[in-house]
Amino acid sequence: PGRLAGGDLAIALVEINGAPVAMAWLDLGLRFYGGTVGPLGTLFNVWTEPEYRRKGLARLAVEACLAHARERGVERVDLIATPMGVGLYARLGFVQNPHPSMRIELSDPPRPDPDAVRMAPRQTNSRS
């Protein structure tokens, strides 16, 4: 009972009797990593209804996302794990990433003065 919708954002949804009980989201795209640009997936929003936890349903959703990524030639999938999910991800083959996760809350001050920043126009290579 895992269903996958396609596109740049794939969602694996597990339903029981028509009700969603677990899911995982996978963002697919070309990213720069390891000195090259290649297909990369980011797994996020892995969720299970509390009464359905510890029944393998999140695993079904994550495995569906990983299969979807493999079918599309994705070479690496990243995620940020909560303490609750670390064991599941380790059993699936994920390893600790040496790069720390960081976050910015955009609603929190201080914010830069928008008038102090200008975006440079995009440069194009034109050959005459």
Side-chain angles (χ1 to χ4, degrees):
R3 184 169 78 211
L4 199 62
D8 288 338
L9 178 65
I11 302 171
L13 181 63
V14 179
E15 296 176 325
I16 294 179
N17 297 325
V21 295
M23 71 174 183
W25 293 26
L26 177 70
D27 176 37
L28 299 173
L30 290 177
R31 308 287 197 294
F32 179 80
Y33 64 91
T36 62
V37 174
L40 175 68
T42 304
L43 187 67
F44 61 103
N45 286 351
V46 178
W47 158 86
T48 306
E49 281 286 355
E51 62 268 27
Y52 291 98
R53 290 183 182 154
R54 315 283 313 153
K55 298 182 185 316
L57 301 178
R59 182 183 186 104
L60 279 175
V62 171
E63 286 176 336
C65 284
L66 295 177
H68 184 80
R70 280 187 193 98
E71 290 168 5
R72 281 149 185 80
V74 171
E75 299 170 9
R76 188 177 89 191
V77 174
D78 289 333
L79 63 81
I80 298 173
T82 62
M84 185 184 304
V86 168
L88 167 64
Y89 303 130
R91 288 188 296 278
L92 288 169
F94 284 86
V95 295
Q96 290 288 330
N97 185 343
H99 304 288
S101 169
M102 298 178 76
R103 174 184 301 165
I104 183 171
E105 297 291 339
L106 297 176
S107 60
D108 292 344
R111 288 179 235 160
D113 177 3
D115 294 325
V117 178
R118 297 279 183 254
M119 298 300 292
R122 182 174 179 209
Q123 299 295 320
T124 59
N125 288 337
S126 61
R127 297 180 186 199
S128 303

